[in-house]
Amino acid sequence: MAPMLNGRTHWSVLVLCVLLAGGAGFFFYQTTQLKSSLVTTAQEADDTESHLTQRLAEAVETIQKRDGQLSELENELEETKEDLRDAERTIEEFEEEYRTTINAVKDLNKLSQIDEELLQQYSRVYFLNENYIPERLTQIDEKWVDATKSDEYFLAQAWPFLEDLLEDAERDDIDLRVLSAYRSFDEQAQLKGQYLQTYGEGANTFSADQGYSEHQLGTAVDFTIPALAGQLAGFGDTEAYQWLLDNAYKHGFILSYPKDNAFYVYEPWHWRFVGEDLARDLNRDGRNFYEVPQRELNEYRLELFD
Ligand SMILES: [Zn+2]
């Protein structure tokens, strides 16, 4: 039995050995495959890493480039903003210049419509042309005209100022009346003739020579009060005259020939419209219209009817 058993055992050992050898071979093969797969994977991982590192480097470079571009853009934006501010300043300056020019043109236009004679000083050297006629006259409401007179006229543009003055006086219970306002050259000549007949050469001291008269402008007025019954004399002693000294300037009127003036005989009744600004300044500084240089007076022409 033993050798038979022995023979079977040998086959069994042989088969076992073959199986073991096959198993070991398979195991070795598997291990080798695994190893080689691991190596491949590790290599791939390495490749991936280096690829990623490269990508990262590229990304960093791109970001840096973008940063550079961004700061360039920011600089450009800053410069553009500065240019814009410059342009805005230029526009503002231009607008300012434009406004100044427009105002200058407006002033010139306005000035061209205000008769320069209205602030002119008259004397024996410079006098009003005998053909001069005011631009437009308006008839003075007869309620303000002295009973001894009928139609009296005043420069239309200046009339509202005279009306305000008369109403102001009335409110203060002053019975102010217009004795004489606009006089044409012919009327003035006639009046002078009457004065000469009555007073002889002495008339030169109280009646302006023909054509010299401010009355021909339409902006001068001789005031009186009813109690004087059409006479000029005595007006300087009235309450009405005192009222005019205190208030006429507020309405743009000045006394052309005050007491002790160096130019003409004292005429307390004779008032001339020169505009509120000039009348106010003359009153404030205690100056007489005929003492002020003509150039200085002309500067008030623009605001004459303001
Ligand atoms: Zn007069």
Side-chain angles (χ1 to χ4, degrees):
M1 267 313 277
M4 221 178 105
L5 191 72
N6 254 0
R8 251 189 219 174
T9 307
H10 278 131
W11 275 111
S12 296
V13 169
L14 190 64
V15 170
L16 195 65
C17 281
V18 168
L19 281 174
L20 274 174
F26 181 72
F27 180 73
F28 177 75
Y29 171 77
Q30 284 290 349
T31 307
T32 307
Q33 284 291 100
L34 197 62
K35 234 185 198 174
S36 122
S37 159
L38 272 176
V39 167
T40 308
T41 306
Q43 236 163 24
E44 274 173 9
D46 270 358
D47 285 353
T48 306
E49 193 195 346
S50 78
H51 179 68
L52 281 177
T53 306
Q54 200 188 334
R55 289 291 303 273
L56 188 65
E58 278 170 12
V60 168
E61 199 186 328
T62 306
I63 288 170
Q64 276 168 350
K65 214 189 270 178
R66 289 281 147 80
D67 264 359
Q69 283 172 341
L70 193 64
S71 72
E72 256 173 54
L73 278 175
E74 274 171 356
N75 284 345
E76 270 175 45
L77 186 65
E78 214 34 66
E79 278 169 27
T80 308
K81 274 184 188 168
E82 188 54 44
D83 286 350
L84 195 63
R85 278 193 288 271
D86 281 351
E88 276 171 354
R89 269 193 294 272
T90 307
I91 289 171
E92 271 167 32
E93 279 167 16
F94 178 75
E95 279 175 347
E96 182 60 37
E97 227 170 273
Y98 177 74
R99 273 194 294 273
T100 309
T101 309
I102 287 289
N103 285 340
V105 169
K106 272 191 197 155
D107 283 356
L108 273 177
N109 189 41
K110 187 178 168 192
L111 207 55
S112 73
Q113 286 163 10
I114 300 174
D115 187 347
E116 61 183 23
E117 292 291 349
L118 297 178
L119 286 184
Q120 193 60 243
Q121 292 166 327
Y122 298 111
S123 68
R124 279 168 173 72
V125 181
Y126 186 88
F127 50 88
L128 191 56
N129 187 290
E130 64 181 88
N131 298 315
Y132 179 86
I133 296 170
E135 192 188 310
R136 199 158 63 86
L137 293 165
T138 193
Q139 188 168 1
I140 299 173
D141 188 332
E142 63 181 27
K143 89 172 254 205
W144 303 116
V145 178
D146 189 70
T148 63
K149 303 294 282 291
S150 51
D151 301 346
E152 287 299 325
Y153 293 86
F154 208 64
L155 184 74
Q157 272 180 299
W159 163 244
F161 295 88
L162 178 56
E163 190 177 29
D164 282 351
L165 181 148
L166 291 162
E167 284 170 352
D168 195 10
E170 191 180 48
R171 274 193 293 274
D172 287 347
D173 293 325
I174 302 294
D175 261 347
L176 209 54
R177 294 288 180 275
V178 172
L179 185 65
S180 178
Y182 168 70
R183 284 203 291 267
S184 69
F185 180 84
D186 289 342
E187 284 172 304
Q188 185 69 12
Q190 222 177 358
L191 192 68
K192 179 74 183 295
Q194 285 168 12
Y195 284 147
L196 280 171
Q197 271 183 355
T198 316
Y199 303 101
E201 285 304 317
N204 283 328
T205 60
F206 62 86
S207 173
D209 275 24
Q210 295 163 22
Y212 294 178
S213 172
E214 292 181 342
H215 284 278
Q216 199 186 327
L217 287 173
T219 51
V221 53
D222 292 341
F223 287 114
T224 190
I225 53 168
L228 289 178
Q231 296 299 305
L232 295 169
F235 186 75
D237 301 321
T238 64
E239 204 189 339
Y241 174 59
Q242 194 51 53
W243 185 90
L244 284 169
L245 288 176
D246 295 338
N247 298 285
Y249 76 90
K250 297 173 193 166
H251 303 282
F253 284 80
I254 53 113
L255 184 62
S256 295
Y257 311 113
K259 213 169 210 164
D260 303 323
N261 79 84
F263 304 93
Y264 202 61
V265 69
Y266 171 48
E267 285 193 349
W269 55 83
H270 180 101
W271 294 75
R272 176 175 176 175
F273 175 75
V274 296
E276 290 179 356
D277 286 0
L278 177 56
R280 181 200 57 224
D281 289 355
L282 292 175
N283 179 73
R284 182 196 59 208
D285 303 336
R287 294 167 92 190
N288 167 12
F289 177 84
Y290 276 92
E291 288 168 355
V292 178
Q294 183 65 58
R295 217 179 22 221
E296 207 180 308
L297 293 176
N298 291 344
E299 286 167 19
Y300 287 89
R301 187 152 65 92
L302 191 66
E303 292 98 36
L304 191 68
F305 297 111
D306 287 357

